[in-house]
Amino acid sequence: MNTKHLIHPEDFTVQELNQLIQIAQNILEDPQDYKNICKDKILATLFYEPSTRTRLSFESAMLRLGGNVLGFSDASTSSVSKGESIVDTIQVISSYADLAAIRHPKEGAPKLASKYSKIPIINAGDGGHEHPTQTLTDLFTIYMKKGNIKDQKIAFCGDLKFGRTVHSLIRTLCRYNIKEFILISPDELTLPYELKNKLIEEYDVKLQEVSTMEEVIGEIDILYMTRIQKERFFNEADYERLKNSYILDSSKIKLAKDDMIIMHPLPRVNEISYEVDKDPRAIYFEQASFGVYIRMALILKLLGVDCTCLK
Amino acid sequence: MLEVTQIQNGIVLDHISPGNGLKIFNKLMPTQTDNPVVLLMNVYSDYMSKKDIIKLENVENINLEFLGLIDEHISINIIKNGEVIHKERVTIPKQVKGILTCHNPRCITHSEPLSNPTFELVCKKTLSYQCEYCETITKYTL
């Protein structure tokens, strides 16, 4: 049997994504039913670059399912510092764990690992390329807060060039038949040309590009904020110039609909003022909590655990 | 008039656009250290008026998929016992392996020798290929 991996969101059909969302909702409603379902299973978290939320979210997910976790959170404390390739590492880890979540600064590293792995690989973020479990988290959040995924008017704001969460999510939302997106970014950080072309050619979507939040905030259902990522810039001067491009504060929120939701993959730097946190439309911390449940559902799916009898 | 005798066994790359012969010759030479190779440049052609030709003697299996990236006019002639036993025109390959290097400096292919990436053709006109790992588009240039 072929081992199933999650490298790109496209590795799962819309039907499978909906199935994951359903399982995550079931877990959220009755977590007790799932607390020992992964007893004796081990998740390896191989984090070659720093991460707080994603790694802890994976670990929390596995522990809440009754499983165990091993791994490293810094490449300098692993064999990588001795020059070991990811291909060798994954072949060894395949006999230590039942599935592995990999974060790596090099783009395509989890895919390479999946070619040599005997266990399911989850891409937990590879450079500026993909972050599919954030996409799952975002989908689950939209579903939980809005009741459906397809009828939403969504604006993405901030770093749309290097923001991998935006790339993954926007492609996935196209598969849910959303036909229009609003893109708010400085000229230097617009959505990559290739991706724009792909979205237009493959999905016939309309992309409205604007340069200020105020122009569109009153008409959208979801505002997806992103941080300007320092680690993606080769040149610090460029980062300093762009980091304050878009800041969401209470004066801008006053222009928004009452039921608009503000999402953010976190961590935040300064793009959302702290005063916004108190607004009921600010759901980014709840979004992070949803990430645990959807990762629990993903772990169950990749391990082939049958939980249909539970609900 | 310059004359080069025909080869008995090997491959003849014919109808190469003038000037491209030397580029292809330079690409092939590292793999052809032991076999006789002839490069003919600016040879008269009824069809093209001028053309380049490369003859590779005693060569059977070499990867020539990169030829389609250089020049779509080229025909490949397989010669056995002095006879052409197979003739085909090159095409732009839909997939290439071992020819391109990913342009993305953050791609895993630059640090993992076992990655050996496959590139998928995304635009024939610009000879643009997509890396299977990082999905970055790389344009082929000789």
Side-chain angles (χ1 to χ4, degrees), chain A residues 8 85-87 106-108 111-112 115-116 129-130 194 232 234, chain B residues 104-109 111-112 114-115 132-137:
Chain A
H8 306 278
S85 86
I86 192 168
V87 170
K106 296 284 184 181
E107 297 172 12
K111 172 153 187 165
L112 177 62
K115 286 188 172 185
Y116 290 86
H129 181 219
E130 291 277 13
E194 293 89 358
R232 305 288 171 226
F234 286 123
Chain B
N104 174 9
R106 298 182 183 93
C107 182
I108 188 68
T109 54
S111 51
E112 290 278 354
L114 281 174
S115 54
E132 69 165 311
Y133 290 105
C134 72
E135 298 179 289
T136 299
I137 309 288

Side-chain angles (χ1 to χ4, degrees), chain B residues 19-120:
Chain B
N20 280 342
L22 187 59
K23 295 175 189 170
I24 296 167
F25 182 81
N26 286 334
K27 274 262 186 196
L28 287 172
M29 275 321 284
T31 62
Q32 302 303 313
T33 47
D34 295 332
N35 300 314
V37 180
V38 178
L39 165 64
L40 297 162
M41 295 173 69
N42 301 318
V43 178
Y44 173 76
S45 162
D46 285 339
Y47 167 57
M48 302 169 69
S49 99
K50 271 184 184 179
K51 65 178 179 179
D52 293 352
I53 300 172
I54 294 173
K55 297 187 176 193
L56 305 157
E57 189 147 39
N58 300 330
V59 170
E60 280 181 11
N61 296 316
I62 55 167
N63 187 352
L64 294 172
E65 65 177 3
F66 73 96
L67 292 176
L69 298 169
I70 298 173
D71 189 340
E72 273 205 287
H73 295 107
I74 299 172
S75 53
I76 301 172
N77 299 279
I78 311 292
I79 315 290
K80 201 152 196 178
N81 301 322
E83 300 285 324
V84 178
I85 59 159
H86 180 73
K87 187 169 189 158
E88 64 175 286
R89 286 287 284 273
V90 300
T91 52
I92 295 173
K94 290 195 172 115
Q95 268 191 356
V96 292
K97 206 167 188 159
I99 294 170
L100 289 180
T101 306
C102 184
H103 278 193
N104 174 9
R106 298 182 183 93
C107 182
I108 188 68
T109 54
H110 299 296
S111 51
E112 290 278 354
L114 281 174
S115 54
N116 193 17
T118 300
F119 291 82
E120 292 275 347

